[in-house]
Each structure stands twice: as C-alpha cells, then as structure tokens.
Amino acid sequence: MGEPEGHAEENRNSSPDRLPPGQRLQRGWPVTHYGPVPKYRPERWDFRVFGATGDGDKHRWTHEEFSALPHETVVADLHCVTRFSMLDAEWGGVRARTVLELVPPAPGVSHVMVWAEYGYSANLRLADFAAEGSVFATHRAGELLTAEHGFPLRLVVPQLYGWKGPKWVRGVEYMTADRRGFWEERGYHNIGEVQREQRYSYQEEPGDGPEL
C-alpha cells in the first residue's frame, strides 16, 4: 500500500450517482498492488502475444516498438475491489483492440491471460479484453505513469474490478479455454464484473469459471 496521490481533478465533475453498487468515490489515487515494484530495464523489456494466435506464431515488441503503436486517449473509470472508484480518468495508451488487430486470435479463442512481472496473471473473457474502453495505458491525465502505478504499461478494463487490469504488463496469451489467474486462484471471482459485484469466488454460479 502507499499514500494517495493527487490528480483529483478527474473526479470533480463525476456524479456519485454513477458509482457501481458497493463503491465509494475516490478523490486521489491510492497505490495498491501485491509484491514489490519491479525495476524497469529498457534493454530487457518486451511485450509478447502468444498462445492460440491466428498465424500460430509468437509476436514480440520492444519498448520502443510498442511505444510506436497507435496511441489513443480513453476516458474510463477504475474500480477497485477494495471499494474505491475513480470516475472519468483519462488514460493514454494502446487499445487492446489494436493488439487484437495486429495479432488476430485463432478461431475458438474465448479468453486471454494477461501476464505481468513476477509471473502475475489475470484471466479475462475475450469480449472484456476487446471492449471499447480496454487500454494498455502508458499515461494518466497526460502524464507518464509512475513506477508505483504500473510504468511502463498497465491494463485498464473499466467494466471489471481493478485486479483484472494488471500493472507492469509483459504479454497476452490467447486461450481456447478459460484458466484462472493469480487472484482468481486465491478466492477472487473468476469474472469480476463491477456492476454485478462479482468480488469473490463463493459468489460464482455454474459456468462462471473453472473449478478451484
């Protein structure tokens, strides 16, 4: 855990009426993550897409190459399972849809596993990954992300709780069957929809995910 940062300006015009059930409006940006903050080494950093790709190959970008991909600004909420919400945050980065266009998945791909430093992982349905607001963020409010908040790359998936959008992302695995990620194996809901308050695995219904 860390101290909240500033950047409260994004929430000033956000109506609390938009808050999902069980959430409260956050005026800063708390630092929340599991484990230490990794050290960024540009000569070693890369982003990979692998698994059930349409062409059967693995694809890799260096940081310089990934930074040259189409950069867009996305206004999207961030909802933490610990019950704070940041509304109308401005994220800059590469849309997940762009990655899917550059490396199309094979027929039958239904889920992705997003991999981050230290082997952290989060599984998502392909539809959630491909949603309009899903973005591999490099910036927030026009400023480069800090290391504590995921520099050089973090995923934002606004319709899902924040653990589904890892910090320090290093790659995406295309999957033809669902598989639980780090927190999903440790008691968190396999899907994690914010509006349905899918917080914990005991709330899961048949078909929500693989057996624990």
Side-chain angles (χ1 to χ4, degrees):
M1 290 287 187
E3 294 296 321
E5 293 185 298
H7 301 292
E9 68 279 358
E10 289 158 340
N11 284 319
R12 286 176 184 163
N13 298 317
S14 299
S15 170
D17 295 339
R18 283 184 42 222
L19 285 171
Q23 297 295 108
R24 59 175 173 78
L25 190 63
Q26 178 66 39
R27 293 296 180 183
W29 192 10
V31 176
T32 58
H33 58 83
Y34 177 84
V37 176
K39 184 175 181 180
Y40 169 61
R41 295 178 174 85
E43 71 281 1
R44 297 183 184 179
W45 192 94
D46 61 8
F47 179 90
R48 301 180 184 226
V49 179
F50 59 99
T53 60
D55 59 10
D57 291 337
K58 299 177 181 178
H59 297 259
R60 174 183 177 274
W61 290 267
T62 64
H63 185 258
E64 182 178 1
E65 291 167 339
F66 193 87
S67 299
L69 296 180
H71 190 280
E72 299 184 55
T73 299
V74 176
V75 176
D77 302 338
L78 180 66
H79 305 290
C80 183
V81 72
T82 60
R83 299 186 182 274
F84 77 78
S85 290
M86 293 167 50
L87 302 182
D88 299 323
E90 182 184 286
W91 308 95
V94 178
R95 287 186 188 268
R97 286 183 176 182
T98 299
V99 173
L100 289 168
E101 292 168 0
L102 292 170
V103 185
V109 167
S110 58
H111 293 77
V112 302
M113 188 74 78
V114 180
W115 291 95
E117 297 284 2
Y118 303 131
Y120 179 89
S121 59
N123 60 316
L124 296 87
R125 296 173 296 189
L126 182 61
D128 286 318
F129 182 72
E132 179 70 20
S134 299
V135 59
F136 288 103
T138 58
H139 293 70
R140 188 181 78 95
E143 298 180 2
L144 199 66
L145 294 175
T146 63
E148 292 77 13
H149 282 298
F151 176 84
L153 195 67
R154 70 176 293 161
L155 179 64
V156 176
V157 186
Q159 70 273 23
L160 305 181
Y161 287 113
W163 87 81
K164 288 290 190 177
K167 301 178 183 181
W168 312 301
V169 172
R170 293 296 302 273
V172 177
E173 177 186 359
Y174 293 165
M175 305 190 298
T176 56
D178 196 8
R179 194 169 78 244
R180 291 180 185 264
F182 181 88
W183 285 117
E184 295 79 15
E185 289 181 334
R186 291 164 173 81
Y188 280 77
H189 200 284
N190 191 60
I191 298 175
E193 285 188 15
V194 176
Q195 291 295 335
R196 297 176 65 188
E197 280 204 271
Q198 293 177 328
R199 300 176 189 272
Y200 305 110
S201 59
Y202 70 79
Q203 300 171 297
E204 292 178 8
E205 300 177 359
D208 281 348
E211 290 188 11
L212 281 166

Short mmCIF file of all heavy atoms in Angstrom, two decimals, residues 73-128:
data_model
loop_
_atom_site.label_atom_id
_atom_site.label_comp_id
_atom_site.label_asym_id
_atom_site.label_seq_id
_atom_site.Cartn_x
_atom_site.Cartn_y
_atom_site.Cartn_z
N THR A 73 -6.38 8.24 -26.55
CA THR A 73 -6.83 8.65 -25.23
C THR A 73 -8.20 8.05 -24.95
O THR A 73 -9.10 8.12 -25.78
CB THR A 73 -6.91 10.18 -25.14
OG1 THR A 73 -5.60 10.73 -25.35
CG2 THR A 73 -7.42 10.62 -23.77
N VAL A 74 -8.32 7.42 -23.79
CA VAL A 74 -9.56 6.76 -23.39
C VAL A 74 -9.98 7.32 -22.04
O VAL A 74 -9.16 7.37 -21.11
CB VAL A 74 -9.36 5.24 -23.30
CG1 VAL A 74 -10.63 4.56 -22.79
CG2 VAL A 74 -8.95 4.66 -24.65
N VAL A 75 -11.22 7.75 -21.91
CA VAL A 75 -11.76 8.17 -20.62
C VAL A 75 -12.52 6.97 -20.04
O VAL A 75 -13.50 6.51 -20.63
CB VAL A 75 -12.68 9.39 -20.76
CG1 VAL A 75 -13.31 9.74 -19.42
CG2 VAL A 75 -11.90 10.57 -21.31
N ALA A 76 -12.04 6.46 -18.93
CA ALA A 76 -12.60 5.23 -18.37
C ALA A 76 -12.47 5.23 -16.86
O ALA A 76 -11.52 5.76 -16.30
CB ALA A 76 -11.88 4.00 -18.96
N ASP A 77 -13.43 4.62 -16.21
CA ASP A 77 -13.42 4.50 -14.76
C ASP A 77 -12.45 3.40 -14.31
O ASP A 77 -12.11 2.51 -15.08
CB ASP A 77 -14.82 4.16 -14.24
CG ASP A 77 -15.87 5.20 -14.64
OD1 ASP A 77 -15.48 6.34 -14.94
OD2 ASP A 77 -17.05 4.84 -14.66
N LEU A 78 -12.05 3.49 -13.05
CA LEU A 78 -11.24 2.46 -12.43
C LEU A 78 -11.90 2.09 -11.11
O LEU A 78 -12.09 2.95 -10.24
CB LEU A 78 -9.81 2.95 -12.19
CG LEU A 78 -8.85 1.95 -11.54
CD1 LEU A 78 -8.59 0.77 -12.47
CD2 LEU A 78 -7.53 2.62 -11.19
N HIS A 79 -12.26 0.82 -10.96
CA HIS A 79 -12.97 0.35 -9.77
C HIS A 79 -12.14 -0.72 -9.07
O HIS A 79 -11.82 -1.75 -9.67
CB HIS A 79 -14.33 -0.23 -10.14
CG HIS A 79 -15.20 0.70 -10.92
ND1 HIS A 79 -15.77 1.83 -10.36
CD2 HIS A 79 -15.57 0.69 -12.24
CE1 HIS A 79 -16.48 2.46 -11.29
NE2 HIS A 79 -16.37 1.80 -12.43
N CYS A 80 -11.79 -0.46 -7.83
CA CYS A 80 -11.00 -1.41 -7.06
C CYS A 80 -11.93 -2.29 -6.22
O CYS A 80 -12.94 -1.80 -5.68
CB CYS A 80 -10.02 -0.68 -6.14
SG CYS A 80 -8.94 -1.79 -5.21
N VAL A 81 -11.59 -3.55 -6.08
CA VAL A 81 -12.40 -4.46 -5.29
C VAL A 81 -12.42 -4.05 -3.82
O VAL A 81 -13.32 -4.44 -3.07
CB VAL A 81 -11.91 -5.91 -5.46
CG1 VAL A 81 -10.58 -6.12 -4.73
CG2 VAL A 81 -12.95 -6.92 -5.00
N THR A 82 -11.45 -3.24 -3.40
CA THR A 82 -11.44 -2.71 -2.03
C THR A 82 -12.45 -1.59 -1.84
O THR A 82 -12.49 -0.97 -0.79
CB THR A 82 -10.05 -2.21 -1.64
OG1 THR A 82 -9.65 -1.17 -2.53
CG2 THR A 82 -9.02 -3.34 -1.69
N ARG A 83 -13.24 -1.31 -2.89
CA ARG A 83 -14.43 -0.46 -2.86
C ARG A 83 -14.20 1.01 -3.21
O ARG A 83 -15.11 1.81 -3.04
CB ARG A 83 -15.19 -0.59 -1.52
CG ARG A 83 -15.67 -2.02 -1.26
CD ARG A 83 -16.54 -2.12 -0.03
NE ARG A 83 -16.96 -3.50 0.20
CZ ARG A 83 -18.02 -4.09 -0.33
NH1 ARG A 83 -18.77 -3.41 -1.17
NH2 ARG A 83 -18.31 -5.34 -0.06
N PHE A 84 -13.04 1.40 -3.67
CA PHE A 84 -12.92 2.78 -4.16
C PHE A 84 -13.05 2.81 -5.68
O PHE A 84 -12.69 1.85 -6.37
CB PHE A 84 -11.62 3.45 -3.68
CG PHE A 84 -10.38 3.03 -4.41
CD1 PHE A 84 -10.07 3.54 -5.67
CD2 PHE A 84 -9.47 2.16 -3.82
CE1 PHE A 84 -8.90 3.18 -6.33
CE2 PHE A 84 -8.29 1.80 -4.47
CZ PHE A 84 -8.02 2.31 -5.73
N SER A 85 -13.58 3.92 -6.17
CA SER A 85 -13.76 4.11 -7.61
C SER A 85 -13.23 5.47 -8.03
O SER A 85 -13.47 6.47 -7.36
CB SER A 85 -15.24 4.03 -8.00
OG SER A 85 -15.74 2.71 -7.88
N MET A 86 -12.50 5.50 -9.12
CA MET A 86 -12.09 6.74 -9.78
C MET A 86 -12.91 6.86 -11.05
O MET A 86 -12.87 5.97 -11.90
CB MET A 86 -10.60 6.69 -10.13
CG MET A 86 -9.67 6.68 -8.93
SD MET A 86 -7.98 6.24 -9.40
CE MET A 86 -7.69 7.35 -10.77
N LEU A 87 -13.69 7.94 -11.17
CA LEU A 87 -14.55 8.12 -12.33
C LEU A 87 -13.92 9.06 -13.35
O LEU A 87 -13.24 10.01 -13.00
CB LEU A 87 -15.91 8.67 -11.89
CG LEU A 87 -16.69 7.84 -10.87
CD1 LEU A 87 -18.04 8.50 -10.58
CD2 LEU A 87 -16.89 6.40 -11.34
N ASP A 88 -14.15 8.74 -14.61
CA ASP A 88 -13.73 9.61 -15.72
C ASP A 88 -12.23 9.89 -15.73
O ASP A 88 -11.79 11.01 -16.01
CB ASP A 88 -14.50 10.94 -15.69
CG ASP A 88 -15.99 10.74 -15.83
OD1 ASP A 88 -16.40 9.86 -16.61
OD2 ASP A 88 -16.76 11.46 -15.17
N ALA A 89 -11.45 8.88 -15.42
CA ALA A 89 -9.99 9.04 -15.52
C ALA A 89 -9.57 9.03 -16.99
O ALA A 89 -10.15 8.30 -17.80
CB ALA A 89 -9.28 7.93 -14.75
N GLU A 90 -8.60 9.84 -17.31
CA GLU A 90 -8.11 9.92 -18.69
C GLU A 90 -6.85 9.09 -18.84
O GLU A 90 -5.83 9.35 -18.19
CB GLU A 90 -7.81 11.38 -19.06
CG GLU A 90 -7.35 11.57 -20.50
CD GLU A 90 -6.99 13.00 -20.80
OE1 GLU A 90 -7.91 13.83 -20.91
OE2 GLU A 90 -5.78 13.30 -20.88
N TRP A 91 -6.92 8.08 -19.67
CA TRP A 91 -5.80 7.17 -19.89
C TRP A 91 -5.28 7.33 -21.31
O TRP A 91 -6.06 7.45 -22.26
CB TRP A 91 -6.23 5.72 -19.69
CG TRP A 91 -6.94 5.45 -18.40
CD1 TRP A 91 -8.29 5.44 -18.18
CD2 TRP A 91 -6.32 5.19 -17.15
NE1 TRP A 91 -8.56 5.17 -16.86
CE2 TRP A 91 -7.37 5.02 -16.20
CE3 TRP A 91 -5.00 5.08 -16.71
CZ2 TRP A 91 -7.13 4.74 -14.86
CZ3 TRP A 91 -4.76 4.81 -15.38
CH2 TRP A 91 -5.81 4.64 -14.47
N GLY A 92 -3.98 7.31 -21.47
CA GLY A 92 -3.37 7.31 -22.79
C GLY A 92 -2.61 6.03 -23.01
O GLY A 92 -1.91 5.55 -22.10
N GLY A 93 -2.74 5.46 -24.18
CA GLY A 93 -2.02 4.22 -24.45
C GLY A 93 -2.52 3.53 -25.70
O GLY A 93 -3.06 4.16 -26.61
N VAL A 94 -2.34 2.23 -25.73
CA VAL A 94 -2.69 1.40 -26.89
C VAL A 94 -3.92 0.59 -26.55
O VAL A 94 -3.92 -0.17 -25.58
CB VAL A 94 -1.52 0.47 -27.27
CG1 VAL A 94 -1.90 -0.43 -28.44
CG2 VAL A 94 -0.27 1.28 -27.59
N ARG A 95 -4.97 0.75 -27.32
CA ARG A 95 -6.18 -0.02 -27.05
C ARG A 95 -5.91 -1.52 -27.20
O ARG A 95 -5.13 -1.94 -28.07
CB ARG A 95 -7.30 0.38 -28.02
CG ARG A 95 -7.92 1.74 -27.75
CD ARG A 95 -9.10 1.94 -28.68
NE ARG A 95 -9.64 3.29 -28.62
CZ ARG A 95 -10.63 3.67 -27.82
NH1 ARG A 95 -11.17 2.79 -26.99
NH2 ARG A 95 -11.06 4.92 -27.84
N ALA A 96 -6.59 -2.29 -26.38
CA ALA A 96 -6.47 -3.75 -26.51
C ALA A 96 -6.93 -4.20 -27.89
O ALA A 96 -6.38 -5.16 -28.45
CB ALA A 96 -7.27 -4.44 -25.41
N ARG A 97 -7.90 -3.50 -28.45
CA ARG A 97 -8.38 -3.84 -29.79
C ARG A 97 -7.28 -3.72 -30.83
O ARG A 97 -7.25 -4.48 -31.81
CB ARG A 97 -9.54 -2.92 -30.17
CG ARG A 97 -10.84 -3.22 -29.47
CD ARG A 97 -11.94 -2.30 -29.96
NE ARG A 97 -13.22 -2.62 -29.38
CZ ARG A 97 -14.36 -1.99 -29.67
NH1 ARG A 97 -14.34 -0.99 -30.54
NH2 ARG A 97 -15.50 -2.36 -29.11
N THR A 98 -6.39 -2.77 -30.64
CA THR A 98 -5.27 -2.61 -31.58
C THR A 98 -4.38 -3.84 -31.56
O THR A 98 -3.93 -4.32 -32.61
CB THR A 98 -4.46 -1.35 -31.22
OG1 THR A 98 -5.31 -0.20 -31.32
CG2 THR A 98 -3.28 -1.18 -32.15
N VAL A 99 -4.10 -4.36 -30.36
CA VAL A 99 -3.30 -5.58 -30.26
C VAL A 99 -4.00 -6.74 -30.96
O VAL A 99 -3.37 -7.53 -31.69
CB VAL A 99 -3.02 -5.91 -28.78
CG1 VAL A 99 -2.32 -7.27 -28.65
CG2 VAL A 99 -2.17 -4.81 -28.15
N LEU A 100 -5.31 -6.85 -30.79
CA LEU A 100 -6.07 -7.92 -31.44
C LEU A 100 -6.04 -7.77 -32.96
O LEU A 100 -6.04 -8.78 -33.69
CB LEU A 100 -7.51 -7.92 -30.94
CG LEU A 100 -7.71 -8.39 -29.50
CD1 LEU A 100 -9.13 -8.08 -29.03
CD2 LEU A 100 -7.43 -9.88 -29.35
N GLU A 101 -6.05 -6.54 -33.45
CA GLU A 101 -5.98 -6.32 -34.89
C GLU A 101 -4.60 -6.67 -35.45
O GLU A 101 -4.48 -7.25 -36.53
CB GLU A 101 -6.31 -4.86 -35.21
CG GLU A 101 -7.77 -4.50 -34.95
CD GLU A 101 -8.01 -3.01 -35.00
OE1 GLU A 101 -7.02 -2.25 -35.24
OE2 GLU A 101 -9.16 -2.59 -34.78
N LEU A 102 -3.56 -6.35 -34.69
CA LEU A 102 -2.20 -6.64 -35.14
C LEU A 102 -1.89 -8.12 -35.07
O LEU A 102 -1.17 -8.67 -35.93
CB LEU A 102 -1.20 -5.85 -34.29
CG LEU A 102 -1.21 -4.34 -34.47
CD1 LEU A 102 -0.35 -3.67 -33.41
CD2 LEU A 102 -0.71 -3.97 -35.86
N VAL A 103 -2.43 -8.79 -34.05
CA VAL A 103 -2.22 -10.23 -33.89
C VAL A 103 -3.59 -10.86 -33.67
O VAL A 103 -4.04 -11.05 -32.53
CB VAL A 103 -1.29 -10.54 -32.69
CG1 VAL A 103 -1.00 -12.04 -32.64
CG2 VAL A 103 0.00 -9.75 -32.77
N PRO A 104 -4.29 -11.20 -34.72
CA PRO A 104 -5.62 -11.79 -34.57
C PRO A 104 -5.54 -13.14 -33.86
O PRO A 104 -4.62 -13.92 -34.09
CB PRO A 104 -6.12 -11.95 -36.00
CG PRO A 104 -5.29 -11.00 -36.82
CD PRO A 104 -3.96 -10.97 -36.14
N PRO A 105 -6.50 -13.43 -33.00
CA PRO A 105 -6.55 -14.73 -32.35
C PRO A 105 -7.07 -15.80 -33.31
O PRO A 105 -7.77 -15.50 -34.28
CB PRO A 105 -7.52 -14.52 -31.19
CG PRO A 105 -8.38 -13.38 -31.62
CD PRO A 105 -7.53 -12.51 -32.48
N ALA A 106 -6.74 -17.03 -33.01
CA ALA A 106 -7.23 -18.14 -33.81
C ALA A 106 -8.72 -18.34 -33.55
O ALA A 106 -9.25 -17.92 -32.50
CB ALA A 106 -6.46 -19.41 -33.45
N PRO A 107 -9.44 -18.98 -34.48
CA PRO A 107 -10.83 -19.33 -34.21
C PRO A 107 -10.91 -20.18 -32.94
O PRO A 107 -10.07 -21.03 -32.69
CB PRO A 107 -11.23 -20.14 -35.45
CG PRO A 107 -10.29 -19.69 -36.53
CD PRO A 107 -8.99 -19.40 -35.82
N GLY A 108 -11.91 -19.92 -32.16
CA GLY A 108 -12.08 -20.69 -30.94
C GLY A 108 -11.49 -20.05 -29.71
O GLY A 108 -11.72 -20.53 -28.59
N VAL A 109 -10.73 -18.96 -29.85
CA VAL A 109 -10.20 -18.27 -28.68
C VAL A 109 -11.35 -17.59 -27.94
O VAL A 109 -12.12 -16.83 -28.53
CB VAL A 109 -9.12 -17.24 -29.07
CG1 VAL A 109 -8.80 -16.31 -27.91
CG2 VAL A 109 -7.87 -17.97 -29.54
N SER A 110 -11.47 -17.88 -26.67
CA SER A 110 -12.57 -17.34 -25.87
C SER A 110 -12.09 -16.48 -24.71
O SER A 110 -12.86 -15.69 -24.16
CB SER A 110 -13.41 -18.49 -25.30
OG SER A 110 -12.59 -19.37 -24.51
N HIS A 111 -10.82 -16.62 -24.33
CA HIS A 111 -10.27 -15.91 -23.17
C HIS A 111 -8.83 -15.50 -23.46
O HIS A 111 -8.18 -16.02 -24.38
CB HIS A 111 -10.29 -16.80 -21.92
CG HIS A 111 -11.66 -17.13 -21.43
ND1 HIS A 111 -12.46 -18.06 -22.04
CD2 HIS A 111 -12.39 -16.63 -20.38
CE1 HIS A 111 -13.62 -18.15 -21.39
NE2 HIS A 111 -13.60 -17.29 -20.39
N VAL A 112 -8.35 -14.58 -22.66
CA VAL A 112 -6.94 -14.25 -22.68
C VAL A 112 -6.41 -14.30 -21.25
O VAL A 112 -7.17 -14.14 -20.29
CB VAL A 112 -6.67 -12.85 -23.28
CG1 VAL A 112 -7.22 -12.75 -24.69
CG2 VAL A 112 -7.23 -11.75 -22.39
N MET A 113 -5.12 -14.55 -21.14
CA MET A 113 -4.42 -14.41 -19.87
C MET A 113 -3.44 -13.26 -20.05
O MET A 113 -2.60 -13.28 -20.95
CB MET A 113 -3.67 -15.68 -19.49
CG MET A 113 -3.08 -15.65 -18.08
SD MET A 113 -4.33 -15.83 -16.79
CE MET A 113 -4.63 -17.59 -16.86
N VAL A 114 -3.57 -12.25 -19.20
CA VAL A 114 -2.65 -11.12 -19.25
C VAL A 114 -1.55 -11.38 -18.24
O VAL A 114 -1.82 -11.59 -17.05
CB VAL A 114 -3.38 -9.80 -18.95
CG1 VAL A 114 -2.42 -8.63 -18.99
CG2 VAL A 114 -4.52 -9.60 -19.95
N TRP A 115 -0.32 -11.36 -18.70
CA TRP A 115 0.84 -11.67 -17.86
C TRP A 115 1.60 -10.41 -17.51
O TRP A 115 1.75 -9.51 -18.34
CB TRP A 115 1.77 -12.65 -18.57
CG TRP A 115 1.18 -14.02 -18.71
CD1 TRP A 115 0.51 -14.53 -19.79
CD2 TRP A 115 1.20 -15.06 -17.73
NE1 TRP A 115 0.11 -15.81 -19.54
CE2 TRP A 115 0.52 -16.17 -18.30
CE3 TRP A 115 1.73 -15.17 -16.45
CZ2 TRP A 115 0.35 -17.37 -17.59
CZ3 TRP A 115 1.56 -16.36 -15.76
CH2 TRP A 115 0.89 -17.44 -16.32
N ALA A 116 2.08 -10.35 -16.28
CA ALA A 116 2.82 -9.19 -15.80
C ALA A 116 4.11 -9.65 -15.12
O ALA A 116 4.39 -10.85 -15.05
CB ALA A 116 1.96 -8.37 -14.84
N GLU A 117 4.88 -8.70 -14.62
CA GLU A 117 6.13 -9.02 -13.95
C GLU A 117 5.90 -9.99 -12.79
O GLU A 117 4.82 -10.04 -12.20
CB GLU A 117 6.77 -7.73 -13.41
CG GLU A 117 7.17 -6.73 -14.48
CD GLU A 117 8.42 -7.11 -15.24
OE1 GLU A 117 9.01 -8.18 -14.97
OE2 GLU A 117 8.83 -6.31 -16.12
N TYR A 118 6.94 -10.74 -12.48
CA TYR A 118 6.93 -11.71 -11.37
C TYR A 118 5.92 -12.84 -11.57
O TYR A 118 5.53 -13.51 -10.62
CB TYR A 118 6.68 -11.04 -10.02
CG TYR A 118 7.65 -9.94 -9.66
CD1 TYR A 118 7.19 -8.70 -9.23
CD2 TYR A 118 9.03 -10.14 -9.76
CE1 TYR A 118 8.09 -7.69 -8.90
CE2 TYR A 118 9.93 -9.13 -9.44
CZ TYR A 118 9.45 -7.91 -9.01
OH TYR A 118 10.34 -6.91 -8.69
N GLY A 119 5.47 -13.04 -12.82
CA GLY A 119 4.55 -14.13 -13.09
C GLY A 119 3.11 -13.86 -12.71
O GLY A 119 2.28 -14.77 -12.74
N TYR A 120 2.77 -12.61 -12.37
CA TYR A 120 1.38 -12.28 -12.05
C TYR A 120 0.54 -12.45 -13.30
O TYR A 120 0.97 -12.15 -14.42
CB TYR A 120 1.29 -10.84 -11.56
CG TYR A 120 -0.12 -10.41 -11.22
CD1 TYR A 120 -0.64 -10.61 -9.95
CD2 TYR A 120 -0.94 -9.85 -12.20
CE1 TYR A 120 -1.94 -10.23 -9.64
CE2 TYR A 120 -2.25 -9.47 -11.90
CZ TYR A 120 -2.73 -9.66 -10.62
OH TYR A 120 -4.01 -9.30 -10.32
N SER A 121 -0.70 -12.91 -13.12
CA SER A 121 -1.57 -13.15 -14.26
C SER A 121 -3.01 -12.81 -13.91
O SER A 121 -3.42 -12.86 -12.74
CB SER A 121 -1.49 -14.61 -14.70
OG SER A 121 -1.86 -15.48 -13.64
N ALA A 122 -3.79 -12.46 -14.92
CA ALA A 122 -5.23 -12.21 -14.77
C ALA A 122 -5.93 -12.71 -16.03
O ALA A 122 -5.55 -12.32 -17.14
CB ALA A 122 -5.51 -10.73 -14.56
N ASN A 123 -6.94 -13.55 -15.84
CA ASN A 123 -7.68 -14.07 -16.99
C ASN A 123 -8.91 -13.21 -17.26
O ASN A 123 -9.55 -12.70 -16.35
CB ASN A 123 -8.10 -15.53 -16.77
CG ASN A 123 -8.98 -15.72 -15.55
OD1 ASN A 123 -8.72 -15.17 -14.49
ND2 ASN A 123 -10.04 -16.51 -15.71
N LEU A 124 -9.21 -13.03 -18.54
CA LEU A 124 -10.37 -12.24 -18.97
C LEU A 124 -11.07 -12.95 -20.12
O LEU A 124 -10.42 -13.62 -20.93
CB LEU A 124 -9.96 -10.85 -19.47
CG LEU A 124 -9.33 -9.84 -18.55
CD1 LEU A 124 -7.83 -10.03 -18.49
CD2 LEU A 124 -9.64 -8.43 -19.04
N ARG A 125 -12.36 -12.77 -20.20
CA ARG A 125 -13.07 -13.19 -21.39
C ARG A 125 -12.60 -12.32 -22.56
O ARG A 125 -12.31 -11.14 -22.40
CB ARG A 125 -14.57 -13.04 -21.18
CG ARG A 125 -15.14 -13.94 -20.09
CD ARG A 125 -16.59 -13.65 -19.80
NE ARG A 125 -16.80 -12.31 -19.28
CZ ARG A 125 -17.95 -11.86 -18.79
NH1 ARG A 125 -18.99 -12.68 -18.74
NH2 ARG A 125 -18.06 -10.62 -18.34
N LEU A 126 -12.55 -12.91 -23.73
CA LEU A 126 -12.09 -12.17 -24.90
C LEU A 126 -12.95 -10.92 -25.12
O LEU A 126 -12.43 -9.86 -25.49
CB LEU A 126 -12.13 -13.07 -26.14
CG LEU A 126 -11.63 -12.44 -27.44
CD1 LEU A 126 -10.17 -12.03 -27.33
CD2 LEU A 126 -11.82 -13.41 -28.61
N ALA A 127 -14.24 -11.03 -24.88
CA ALA A 127 -15.13 -9.88 -25.09
C ALA A 127 -14.78 -8.73 -24.16
O ALA A 127 -14.86 -7.56 -24.56
CB ALA A 127 -16.59 -10.31 -24.88
N ASP A 128 -14.39 -9.02 -22.92
CA ASP A 128 -13.99 -7.96 -22.00
C ASP A 128 -12.67 -7.33 -22.43
O ASP A 128 -12.50 -6.11 -22.38
CB ASP A 128 -13.85 -8.51 -20.58
CG ASP A 128 -15.20 -8.77 -19.93
OD1 ASP A 128 -16.10 -7.94 -20.07
OD2 ASP A 128 -15.35 -9.82 -19.29
#
